[in-house]
Amino acid sequence: MTNNNEKMSREEAGRKGGEATAKNHDKEFFQEIGQKGGEATSENHDKEFYQEIGQKGGEARANQREGSDDGKMSREEAGRKGGEKSRR
């Protein structure tokens, strides 16, 4: 937290602004601005953009699973195990 002699960090200002916005607006507000943002993005980007971000997201998710030992099996592992059982 800051005192009167220090400037507020960008992180702190953003957090405070986000908290204030969340208090002053409801779910519908956020749905509406999300929709507008999605429409603007689709107008400004092509198919390759979405393919690239999808690829990056998939890779990040796969890397998360590899390093995770949360006791959950991946969909790939579940499918393989299910296939093994059905062959018996």
Side-chain angles (χ1 to χ4, degrees):
M1 196 78 153
T2 61
N3 64 33
N4 293 335
N5 297 330
E6 296 179 27
K7 290 185 177 180
M8 185 183 306
S9 71
R10 287 185 180 157
E11 181 181 338
E12 188 176 358
R15 181 182 52 76
K16 285 185 171 188
E19 289 171 356
T21 301
K23 287 180 185 176
N24 295 323
H25 297 284
D26 59 5
K27 177 181 172 182
E28 287 76 25
F29 168 80
F30 290 102
Q31 289 174 331
E32 185 179 331
I33 63 171
Q35 174 122 17
K36 288 179 181 179
E39 290 170 359
T41 300
S42 70
E43 290 172 5
N44 295 317
H45 296 284
D46 58 8
K47 179 181 173 182
E48 288 76 26
F49 168 79
Y50 288 101
Q51 289 174 331
E52 183 180 335
I53 62 171
Q55 180 74 30
K56 287 179 181 179
E59 289 170 1
R61 186 71 177 122
N63 291 337
Q64 248 181 359
R65 286 188 185 132
E66 287 174 8
S68 174
D69 189 23
D70 59 4
K72 296 180 182 178
M73 78 173 71
S74 68
R75 290 181 180 154
E76 179 182 328
E77 185 180 2
R80 184 175 41 76
K81 286 185 175 184
E84 289 171 0
K85 284 187 176 183
S86 67
R87 281 187 257 167
R88 292 180 190 166

Coordinates of all heavy atoms in Angstrom, one line a residue:
M1 N 0.8 -1.2 0.0 CA 0.0 0.0 0.0 C 0.9 1.2 0.0 O 2.0 1.2 0.4 CB -0.9 0.0 1.2 CG -2.0 0.9 1.2 SD -3.3 0.2 0.1 CE -4.7 0.9 0.8
T2 N 0.4 2.3 -0.5 CA 1.2 3.6 -0.5 C 0.8 4.5 0.6 O -0.3 4.4 1.2 CB 0.9 4.3 -1.9 OG1 -0.5 4.6 -1.9 CG2 1.3 3.4 -3.0
N3 N 1.8 5.4 0.9 CA 1.4 6.5 1.9 C 1.3 7.8 1.1 O 1.4 7.8 -0.1 CB 2.5 6.6 3.0 CG 3.8 6.9 2.5 OD1 4.0 7.7 1.5 ND2 4.9 6.4 3.1
N4 N 1.0 8.9 1.8 CA 0.7 10.1 1.1 C 1.9 10.7 0.3 O 1.7 11.5 -0.6 CB 0.3 11.2 2.1 CG -1.1 10.8 2.7 OD1 -1.9 10.1 2.1 ND2 -1.3 11.3 3.9
N5 N 3.1 10.3 0.6 CA 4.3 10.8 -0.1 C 4.7 10.0 -1.3 O 5.6 10.4 -2.0 CB 5.5 10.9 0.9 CG 5.2 11.9 2.0 OD1 4.5 12.8 1.8 ND2 5.8 11.6 3.2
E6 N 4.1 8.8 -1.5 CA 4.5 7.9 -2.6 C 3.4 7.9 -3.7 O 2.2 8.0 -3.4 CB 4.8 6.5 -2.1 CG 5.9 6.4 -1.1 CD 6.1 5.0 -0.6 OE1 5.7 4.0 -1.3 OE2 6.6 4.8 0.5
K7 N 3.9 7.6 -4.9 CA 2.9 7.4 -6.0 C 2.4 6.0 -5.9 O 3.1 5.1 -5.5 CB 3.5 7.7 -7.3 CG 3.9 9.1 -7.6 CD 4.4 9.3 -9.0 CE 4.7 10.8 -9.3 NZ 5.2 11.0 -10.6
M8 N 1.2 5.8 -6.4 CA 0.6 4.5 -6.5 C 1.2 3.8 -7.7 O 1.3 4.4 -8.7 CB -0.9 4.7 -6.6 CG -1.7 3.4 -6.6 SD -3.5 3.6 -6.8 CE -3.9 4.8 -5.6
S9 N 1.5 2.5 -7.5 CA 2.0 1.7 -8.6 C 0.8 1.5 -9.7 O -0.3 1.6 -9.3 CB 2.5 0.4 -8.2 OG 1.5 -0.5 -7.7
R10 N 1.2 1.2 -10.9 CA 0.2 0.8 -11.9 C -0.6 -0.4 -11.5 O -1.8 -0.4 -11.7 CB 0.9 0.6 -13.2 CG 1.4 1.8 -13.9 CD 1.9 1.5 -15.3 NE 2.4 2.7 -15.9 CZ 3.3 2.8 -16.8 NH1 3.8 1.6 -17.3 NH2 3.7 3.9 -17.3
E11 N 0.1 -1.3 -10.9 CA -0.6 -2.6 -10.5 C -1.7 -2.2 -9.4 O -2.8 -2.7 -9.5 CB 0.4 -3.5 -9.9 CG -0.2 -4.8 -9.4 CD 0.9 -5.8 -8.9 OE1 2.1 -5.6 -9.2 OE2 0.5 -6.7 -8.1
E12 N -1.3 -1.4 -8.4 CA -2.2 -1.1 -7.4 C -3.4 -0.2 -7.9 O -4.5 -0.4 -7.6 CB -1.5 -0.3 -6.3 CG -2.4 -0.1 -5.1 CD -1.6 0.6 -3.9 OE1 -0.4 0.9 -4.1 OE2 -2.3 0.9 -2.9
A13 N -3.1 0.7 -8.8 CA -4.1 1.5 -9.4 C -5.1 0.7 -10.2 O -6.3 0.9 -10.2 CB -3.5 2.6 -10.3
G14 N -4.5 -0.3 -11.0 CA -5.4 -1.2 -11.8 C -6.3 -2.0 -10.9 O -7.5 -2.2 -11.2
R15 N -5.7 -2.5 -9.8 CA -6.5 -3.4 -8.9 C -7.6 -2.6 -8.3 O -8.8 -3.0 -8.2 CB -5.6 -3.9 -7.8 CG -6.3 -4.8 -6.8 CD -5.4 -5.3 -5.7 NE -4.6 -4.3 -5.0 CZ -5.2 -3.5 -4.1 NH1 -6.4 -3.5 -3.8 NH2 -4.4 -2.5 -3.5
K16 N -7.3 -1.4 -7.8 CA -8.3 -0.5 -7.2 C -9.4 -0.1 -8.2 O -10.6 -0.1 -7.9 CB -7.7 0.7 -6.6 CG -7.0 0.5 -5.3 CD -6.5 1.8 -4.7 CE -5.9 1.6 -3.3 NZ -5.6 2.9 -2.7
G17 N -9.0 0.2 -9.4 CA -10.0 0.5 -10.5 C -10.9 -0.7 -10.8 O -12.1 -0.5 -11.0
G18 N -10.3 -1.8 -10.9 CA -11.1 -3.0 -11.1 C -12.1 -3.3 -10.0 O -13.2 -3.7 -10.3
E19 N -11.6 -3.2 -8.8 CA -12.5 -3.4 -7.7 C -13.7 -2.4 -7.7 O -14.8 -2.8 -7.5 CB -11.8 -3.3 -6.4 CG -10.8 -4.5 -6.1 CD -9.9 -4.3 -4.9 OE1 -9.9 -3.2 -4.3 OE2 -9.1 -5.2 -4.6
A20 N -13.4 -1.1 -8.0 CA -14.4 -0.1 -8.0 C -15.4 -0.4 -9.2 O -16.6 -0.3 -9.0 CB -13.8 1.3 -8.2
T21 N -14.9 -0.8 -10.3 CA -15.8 -1.1 -11.5 C -16.7 -2.3 -11.1 O -17.9 -2.3 -11.4 CB -14.9 -1.5 -12.7 OG1 -14.1 -0.3 -13.0 CG2 -15.8 -1.8 -13.9
A22 N -16.1 -3.3 -10.5 CA -16.9 -4.5 -10.1 C -18.0 -4.2 -9.1 O -19.1 -4.7 -9.2 CB -16.0 -5.6 -9.5
K23 N -17.8 -3.2 -8.2 CA -18.8 -2.8 -7.3 C -19.9 -2.0 -8.0 O -21.1 -2.0 -7.5 CB -18.2 -1.9 -6.2 CG -17.3 -2.7 -5.2 CD -16.8 -1.7 -4.2 CE -15.8 -2.5 -3.2 NZ -15.2 -1.5 -2.2
N24 N -19.6 -1.2 -9.0 CA -20.5 -0.3 -9.7 C -21.3 -0.9 -10.8 O -22.2 -0.3 -11.3 CB -19.8 0.9 -10.1 CG -19.2 1.7 -9.0 OD1 -19.9 1.8 -7.9 ND2 -18.1 2.3 -9.1
H25 N -20.9 -2.1 -11.3 CA -21.6 -2.7 -12.5 C -22.0 -4.1 -12.2 O -21.4 -4.8 -11.4 CB -20.6 -2.6 -13.7 CG -20.3 -1.2 -14.1 ND1 -21.2 -0.4 -14.8 CD2 -19.2 -0.5 -13.9 CE1 -20.6 0.8 -15.0 NE2 -19.4 0.8 -14.4
D26 N -23.0 -4.6 -13.0 CA -23.5 -5.9 -12.8 C -23.0 -6.8 -13.9 O -22.2 -6.4 -14.8 CB -25.0 -5.9 -12.8 CG -25.6 -5.4 -14.0 OD1 -24.9 -5.0 -15.0 OD2 -26.9 -5.2 -14.1
K27 N -23.4 -8.1 -13.9 CA -23.0 -9.1 -14.8 C -23.3 -8.7 -16.3 O -22.5 -8.9 -17.2 CB -23.7 -10.4 -14.5 CG -23.5 -11.6 -15.4 CD -24.3 -12.8 -14.9 CE -24.2 -13.9 -15.9 NZ -25.0 -15.0 -15.5
E28 N -24.4 -8.1 -16.5 CA -24.8 -7.7 -17.9 C -23.9 -6.7 -18.4 O -23.6 -6.7 -19.6 CB -26.3 -7.2 -17.9 CG -27.3 -8.3 -17.7 CD -27.4 -8.8 -16.3 OE1 -27.1 -8.0 -15.3 OE2 -27.9 -9.9 -16.1
F29 N -23.4 -5.8 -17.6 CA -22.4 -4.8 -18.1 C -21.1 -5.5 -18.6 O -20.7 -5.2 -19.7 CB -22.0 -3.8 -16.9 CG -20.8 -3.0 -17.2 CD1 -21.0 -1.8 -18.0 CD2 -19.5 -3.3 -16.8 CE1 -19.9 -1.0 -18.3 CE2 -18.4 -2.5 -17.0 CZ -18.6 -1.4 -17.8
F30 N -20.6 -6.4 -17.9 CA -19.4 -7.1 -18.3 C -19.7 -8.0 -19.5 O -18.8 -8.1 -20.4 CB -18.8 -7.9 -17.1 CG -18.3 -7.0 -16.1 CD1 -19.0 -6.8 -14.9 CD2 -17.1 -6.4 -16.2 CE1 -18.5 -6.0 -13.9 CE2 -16.5 -5.6 -15.3 CZ -17.2 -5.4 -14.1
Q31 N -20.9 -8.6 -19.6 CA -21.2 -9.4 -20.8 C -21.2 -8.5 -22.0 O -20.7 -8.8 -23.1 CB -22.5 -10.1 -20.6 CG -22.5 -11.2 -19.6 CD -23.9 -11.8 -19.4 OE1 -24.9 -11.1 -19.4 NE2 -23.9 -13.1 -19.0
E32 N -21.8 -7.3 -21.9 CA -21.9 -6.3 -23.0 C -20.6 -5.9 -23.5 O -20.3 -5.8 -24.7 CB -22.8 -5.2 -22.6 CG -23.1 -4.2 -23.7 CD -24.0 -3.0 -23.3 OE1 -24.8 -3.2 -22.4 OE2 -23.8 -1.9 -23.9
I33 N -19.7 -5.5 -22.5 CA -18.4 -5.0 -23.0 C -17.5 -6.1 -23.5 O -16.7 -5.9 -24.5 CB -17.6 -4.2 -21.9 CG1 -17.3 -5.1 -20.7 CG2 -18.4 -2.9 -21.5 CD1 -16.4 -4.4 -19.7
G34 N -17.7 -7.3 -23.0 CA -17.0 -8.5 -23.6 C -17.5 -8.8 -25.0 O -16.7 -9.1 -25.9
Q35 N -18.8 -8.7 -25.3 CA -19.3 -8.9 -26.6 C -18.8 -7.8 -27.6 O -18.3 -8.1 -28.7 CB -20.8 -8.8 -26.6 CG -21.5 -8.9 -28.0 CD -22.4 -10.0 -28.1 OE1 -22.9 -10.5 -27.2 NE2 -22.7 -10.3 -29.3
K36 N -18.8 -6.6 -27.1 CA -18.2 -5.5 -28.0 C -16.8 -5.7 -28.3 O -16.3 -5.5 -29.4 CB -18.4 -4.1 -27.3 CG -19.9 -3.6 -27.3 CD -20.0 -2.3 -26.6 CE -21.4 -1.8 -26.5 NZ -21.5 -0.5 -25.8
G37 N -16.0 -6.1 -27.3 CA -14.6 -6.4 -27.5 C -14.4 -7.5 -28.5 O -13.5 -7.5 -29.3
G38 N -15.1 -8.6 -28.3 CA -15.0 -9.7 -29.2 C -15.4 -9.3 -30.7 O -14.7 -9.8 -31.6
E39 N -16.4 -8.5 -30.8 CA -16.8 -8.1 -32.2 C -15.7 -7.2 -32.8 O -15.3 -7.4 -34.0 CB -18.1 -7.3 -32.2 CG -19.3 -8.2 -31.9 CD -20.6 -7.5 -31.6 OE1 -20.6 -6.2 -31.6 OE2 -21.6 -8.2 -31.3
A40 N -15.1 -6.3 -32.0 CA -14.0 -5.5 -32.5 C -12.8 -6.3 -32.9 O -12.1 -6.1 -33.9 CB -13.6 -4.4 -31.4
T41 N -12.5 -7.3 -32.1 CA -11.3 -8.2 -32.3 C -11.6 -8.9 -33.6 O -10.7 -9.0 -34.5 CB -11.1 -9.1 -31.2 OG1 -10.8 -8.4 -30.0 CG2 -9.9 -10.0 -31.4
S42 N -12.8 -9.4 -33.8 CA -13.0 -10.2 -35.1 C -13.0 -9.3 -36.3 O -12.6 -9.8 -37.4 CB -14.4 -10.9 -35.0 OG -15.4 -10.1 -35.0
E43 N -13.3 -8.1 -36.2 CA -13.2 -7.1 -37.3 C -11.8 -6.8 -37.7 O -11.5 -6.5 -38.8 CB -14.0 -5.9 -37.0 CG -15.5 -6.0 -36.9 CD -16.2 -4.8 -36.5 OE1 -15.6 -3.8 -36.3 OE2 -17.5 -4.9 -36.3
N44 N -10.9 -6.8 -36.7 CA -9.5 -6.4 -36.9 C -8.5 -7.6 -37.1 O -7.4 -7.3 -37.4 CB -9.1 -5.6 -35.7 CG -9.8 -4.3 -35.6 OD1 -10.0 -3.6 -36.5 ND2 -10.2 -4.0 -34.4
H45 N -9.0 -8.8 -37.0 CA -8.1 -9.9 -37.1 C -8.7 -11.0 -38.0 O -9.9 -11.1 -38.1 CB -7.8 -10.6 -35.7 CG -7.0 -9.6 -34.8 ND1 -5.7 -9.3 -35.0 CD2 -7.5 -8.9 -33.8 CE1 -5.3 -8.5 -34.0 NE2 -6.4 -8.2 -33.3
D46 N -7.8 -11.8 -38.6 CA -8.2 -12.8 -39.6 C -8.2 -14.2 -39.0 O -7.8 -14.4 -37.8 CB -7.4 -12.7 -40.9 CG -5.9 -12.9 -40.6 OD1 -5.5 -13.2 -39.4 OD2 -5.1 -12.8 -41.5
K47 N -8.5 -15.2 -39.8 CA -8.5 -16.6 -39.3 C -7.2 -17.0 -38.7 O -7.1 -17.8 -37.7 CB -8.9 -17.5 -40.5 CG -8.9 -18.9 -40.3 CD -9.3 -19.7 -41.6 CE -9.2 -21.2 -41.4 NZ -9.4 -21.9 -42.6
E48 N -6.1 -16.6 -39.4 CA -4.7 -17.0 -38.9 C -4.5 -16.5 -37.5 O -3.8 -17.2 -36.7 CB -3.6 -16.5 -39.8 CG -3.6 -17.2 -41.2 CD -4.7 -16.8 -42.1 OE1 -5.2 -15.7 -42.0 OE2 -5.1 -17.7 -43.0
F49 N -5.0 -15.3 -37.1 CA -4.8 -14.8 -35.8 C -5.4 -15.8 -34.8 O -4.8 -16.1 -33.7 CB -5.5 -13.4 -35.7 CG -5.6 -12.9 -34.2 CD1 -4.5 -12.4 -33.6 CD2 -6.8 -13.0 -33.6 CE1 -4.7 -11.9 -32.3 CE2 -6.9 -12.5 -32.3 CZ -5.9 -12.0 -31.6
Y50 N -6.6 -16.2 -35.0 CA -7.3 -17.1 -34.1 C -6.7 -18.5 -34.1 O -6.6 -19.1 -33.0 CB -8.8 -17.2 -34.5 CG -9.6 -16.0 -34.1 CD1 -9.9 -15.0 -35.1 CD2 -9.9 -15.7 -32.8 CE1 -10.5 -13.9 -34.8 CE2 -10.6 -14.5 -32.5 CZ -10.9 -13.6 -33.5 OH -11.5 -12.4 -33.2
Q51 N -6.1 -18.9 -35.2 CA -5.4 -20.2 -35.2 C -4.2 -20.1 -34.3 O -3.9 -21.0 -33.6 CB -5.0 -20.6 -36.6 CG -6.2 -21.0 -37.5 CD -5.9 -21.2 -38.9 OE1 -4.9 -20.6 -39.5 NE2 -6.6 -22.1 -39.6
E52 N -3.5 -19.0 -34.4 CA -2.2 -18.8 -33.7 C -2.5 -18.7 -32.2 O -1.8 -19.4 -31.4 CB -1.5 -17.5 -34.1 CG -0.2 -17.3 -33.5 CD 0.5 -16.0 -33.9 OE1 0.2 -15.6 -35.1 OE2 1.3 -15.5 -33.2
I53 N -3.5 -18.0 -31.8 CA -3.8 -17.9 -30.3 C -4.3 -19.2 -29.8 O -4.1 -19.6 -28.7 CB -4.6 -16.7 -29.9 CG1 -6.0 -16.7 -30.6 CG2 -4.0 -15.4 -30.3 CD1 -7.0 -15.7 -30.0
G54 N -5.1 -19.9 -30.6 CA -5.6 -21.2 -30.2 C -4.4 -22.2 -30.0 O -4.4 -23.0 -29.0
Q55 N -3.5 -22.2 -30.9 CA -2.3 -23.0 -30.8 C -1.5 -22.7 -29.6 O -1.1 -23.6 -28.8 CB -1.4 -22.8 -32.1 CG -0.2 -23.7 -32.1 CD -0.4 -25.1 -32.4 OE1 -1.4 -25.5 -33.1 NE2 0.4 -26.0 -31.9
K56 N -1.3 -21.4 -29.3 CA -0.5 -21.0 -28.1 C -1.2 -21.5 -26.9 O -0.6 -21.9 -25.9 CB -0.3 -19.5 -28.1 CG 0.7 -19.0 -29.1 CD 0.9 -17.5 -29.1 CE 1.9 -17.1 -30.1 NZ 2.0 -15.6 -30.1
G57 N -2.5 -21.3 -26.8 CA -3.3 -21.7 -25.7 C -3.3 -23.2 -25.4 O -3.1 -23.7 -24.3
G58 N -3.4 -23.9 -26.5 CA -3.3 -25.4 -26.4 C -1.9 -25.9 -25.9 O -1.8 -26.8 -25.1
E59 N -0.9 -25.2 -26.4 CA 0.5 -25.6 -25.9 C 0.7 -25.2 -24.5 O 1.2 -26.0 -23.7 CB 1.5 -24.9 -26.8 CG 1.6 -25.4 -28.2 CD 2.5 -24.6 -29.1 OE1 3.0 -23.5 -28.7 OE2 2.6 -24.9 -30.3
A60 N 0.2 -24.1 -24.1 CA 0.3 -23.6 -22.7 C -0.4 -24.6 -21.8 O 0.0 -25.0 -20.7 CB -0.2 -22.2 -22.5
R61 N -1.6 -25.0 -22.2 CA -2.4 -26.0 -21.4 C -1.7 -27.3 -21.3 O -1.7 -27.9 -20.2 CB -3.8 -26.1 -22.0 CG -4.7 -26.9 -21.2 CD -5.2 -26.2 -19.9 NE -6.1 -27.0 -19.2 CZ -5.9 -27.4 -18.0 NH1 -4.9 -27.0 -17.3 NH2 -6.9 -28.1 -17.4
A62 N -1.2 -27.8 -22.4 CA -0.4 -29.1 -22.4 C 0.8 -29.0 -21.4 O 1.0 -29.9 -20.7 CB 0.0 -29.4 -23.8
N63 N 1.5 -27.9 -21.5 CA 2.6 -27.7 -20.6 C 2.2 -27.7 -19.1 O 2.9 -28.1 -18.3 CB 3.4 -26.4 -21.0 CG 4.1 -26.5 -22.3 OD1 4.4 -27.6 -22.8 ND2 4.4 -25.4 -22.9
Q64 N 1.0 -27.1 -18.9 CA 0.5 -27.0 -17.5 C 0.2 -28.4 -17.0 O 0.6 -28.8 -15.9 CB -0.8 -26.3 -17.5 CG -0.8 -25.0 -16.8 CD -2.2 -24.4 -16.9 OE1 -3.2 -24.9 -17.5 NE2 -2.4 -23.2 -16.3
R65 N -0.3 -29.3 -17.8 CA -0.6 -30.6 -17.5 C 0.6 -31.5 -17.2 O 0.6 -32.3 -16.3 CB -1.5 -31.3 -18.5 CG -2.9 -30.8 -18.6 CD -3.7 -31.7 -19.5 NE -5.0 -31.2 -19.7 CZ -5.7 -31.0 -20.8 NH1 -5.1 -31.2 -21.9 NH2 -6.9 -30.5 -20.8
E66 N 1.6 -31.3 -18.1 CA 2.9 -32.0 -17.9 C 3.5 -31.8 -16.6 O 4.0 -32.7 -15.9 CB 3.8 -31.7 -19.0 CG 3.4 -32.3 -20.4 CD 4.3 -31.8 -21.5 OE1 5.4 -31.2 -21.2 OE2 4.0 -32.1 -22.7
G67 N 3.5 -30.5 -16.1 CA 4.2 -30.2 -14.9 C 3.3 -30.3 -13.7 O 3.7 -30.1 -12.6
S68 N 2.1 -30.7 -13.9 CA 1.1 -30.8 -12.8 C 1.0 -32.2 -12.3 O 0.9 -33.2 -13.0 CB -0.2 -30.3 -13.3 OG -1.2 -30.5 -12.3
D69 N 0.9 -32.3 -11.0 CA 0.7 -33.6 -10.3 C -0.5 -33.4 -9.4 O -0.5 -33.6 -8.2 CB 1.9 -34.1 -9.6 CG 1.7 -35.5 -9.1 OD1 0.9 -36.3 -9.7 OD2 2.4 -35.9 -8.1
D70 N -1.6 -33.0 -10.0 CA -2.8 -32.7 -9.2 C -3.7 -33.9 -9.1 O -4.8 -33.8 -8.6 CB -3.6 -31.6 -9.8 CG -4.1 -31.8 -11.3 OD1 -3.8 -32.9 -11.8 OD2 -4.6 -30.9 -11.9
G71 N -3.3 -35.1 -9.5 CA -4.1 -36.3 -9.4 C -5.1 -36.5 -10.5 O -5.7 -37.5 -10.6
K72 N -5.2 -35.5 -11.4 CA -6.2 -35.7 -12.5 C -5.5 -36.2 -13.7 O -4.4 -35.8 -14.0 CB -6.8 -34.3 -12.8 CG -7.6 -33.7 -11.7 CD -8.2 -32.4 -12.1 CE -9.0 -31.8 -10.9 NZ -9.5 -30.5 -11.3
M73 N -6.2 -37.0 -14.5 CA -5.6 -37.5 -15.7 C -6.1 -36.7 -16.9 O -7.1 -36.1 -16.8 CB -5.9 -39.0 -15.9 CG -7.3 -39.3 -16.4 SD -7.5 -41.1 -16.8 CE -7.5 -41.8 -15.2
S74 N -5.2 -36.6 -17.9 CA -5.6 -35.8 -19.0 C -6.6 -36.5 -19.9 O -6.9 -37.7 -19.7 CB -4.3 -35.6 -19.9 OG -3.9 -36.8 -20.5
R75 N -7.3 -35.8 -20.7 CA -8.3 -36.4 -21.6 C -7.6 -37.5 -22.5 O -8.2 -38.5 -22.7 CB -8.9 -35.3 -22.5 CG -9.8 -34.4 -21.7 CD -10.4 -33.4 -22.7 NE -11.2 -32.5 -21.9 CZ -11.5 -31.2 -22.2 NH1 -11.0 -30.7 -23.3 NH2 -12.3 -30.5 -21.5
E76 N -6.4 -37.2 -22.9 CA -5.7 -38.1 -23.8 C -5.5 -39.4 -23.0 O -5.7 -40.5 -23.5 CB -4.3 -37.6 -24.2 CG -3.5 -38.5 -25.0 CD -2.1 -37.9 -25.3 OE1 -2.1 -36.6 -25.5 OE2 -1.2 -38.6 -25.4
E77 N -5.0 -39.3 -21.8 CA -4.8 -40.5 -20.9 C -6.1 -41.2 -20.6 O -6.2 -42.5 -20.7 CB -4.1 -40.1 -19.6 CG -3.7 -41.3 -18.8 CD -3.0 -40.9 -17.5 OE1 -2.9 -39.6 -17.2 OE2 -2.6 -41.8 -16.7
A78 N -7.1 -40.5 -20.3 CA -8.4 -41.1 -20.1 C -8.9 -41.9 -21.3 O -9.5 -43.0 -21.2 CB -9.5 -40.1 -19.7
G79 N -8.8 -41.3 -22.5 CA -9.2 -41.9 -23.7 C -8.4 -43.2 -24.0 O -9.0 -44.2 -24.4
R80 N -7.1 -43.1 -23.8 CA -6.3 -44.3 -24.0 C -6.7 -45.4 -23.0 O -6.8 -46.6 -23.4 CB -4.8 -43.9 -23.8 CG -3.9 -45.1 -24.1 CD -2.4 -44.7 -24.0 NE -2.1 -43.8 -22.9 CZ -1.9 -44.1 -21.6 NH1 -2.1 -45.4 -21.3 NH2 -1.6 -43.3 -20.7
K81 N -6.8 -45.1 -21.7 CA -7.2 -46.1 -20.7 C -8.6 -46.7 -21.0 O -8.8 -47.9 -20.9 CB -7.2 -45.5 -19.3 CG -5.8 -45.3 -18.8 CD -5.8 -44.8 -17.4 CE -4.4 -44.7 -16.8 NZ -4.4 -44.4 -15.4
G82 N -9.5 -45.8 -21.5 CA -10.9 -46.3 -21.8 C -10.8 -47.2 -23.0 O -11.5 -48.3 -23.1
G83 N -10.0 -46.9 -24.0 CA -9.8 -47.8 -25.2 C -9.2 -49.1 -24.8 O -9.6 -50.1 -25.3
E84 N -8.2 -49.1 -23.9 CA -7.6 -50.4 -23.4 C -8.7 -51.3 -22.8 O -8.7 -52.5 -23.0 CB -6.5 -50.1 -22.5 CG -5.3 -49.5 -23.1 CD -4.2 -49.0 -22.1 OE1 -4.4 -49.2 -20.9 OE2 -3.2 -48.5 -22.6
K85 N -9.5 -50.7 -22.0 CA -10.5 -51.5 -21.3 C -11.5 -52.1 -22.2 O -12.0 -53.2 -22.1 CB -11.2 -50.7 -20.2 CG -10.4 -50.5 -19.0 CD -11.3 -49.8 -17.9 CE -10.5 -49.7 -16.6 NZ -11.3 -49.1 -15.5
S86 N -11.9 -51.3 -23.3 CA -12.9 -51.8 -24.2 C -12.4 -52.9 -25.1 O -13.2 -53.6 -25.7 CB -13.5 -50.6 -25.0 OG -12.5 -50.1 -25.9
R87 N -11.1 -53.0 -25.3 CA -10.5 -54.0 -26.1 C -10.5 -55.4 -25.5 O -10.4 -56.4 -26.1 CB -9.1 -53.7 -26.5 CG -9.1 -52.6 -27.6 CD -7.7 -52.5 -28.1 NE -7.2 -51.2 -27.5 CZ -6.0 -50.8 -27.5 NH1 -5.0 -51.5 -27.9 NH2 -5.7 -49.6 -27.0
R88 N -10.6 -55.4 -24.2 CA -10.5 -56.7 -23.4 C -11.7 -57.6 -23.6 O -12.7 -57.4 -23.9 CB -10.3 -56.4 -21.9 CG -9.0 -55.8 -21.7 CD -8.8 -55.5 -20.2 NE -7.6 -54.7 -20.1 CZ -7.3 -54.1 -19.0 NH1 -8.0 -54.2 -17.9 NH2 -6.2 -53.3 -18.9

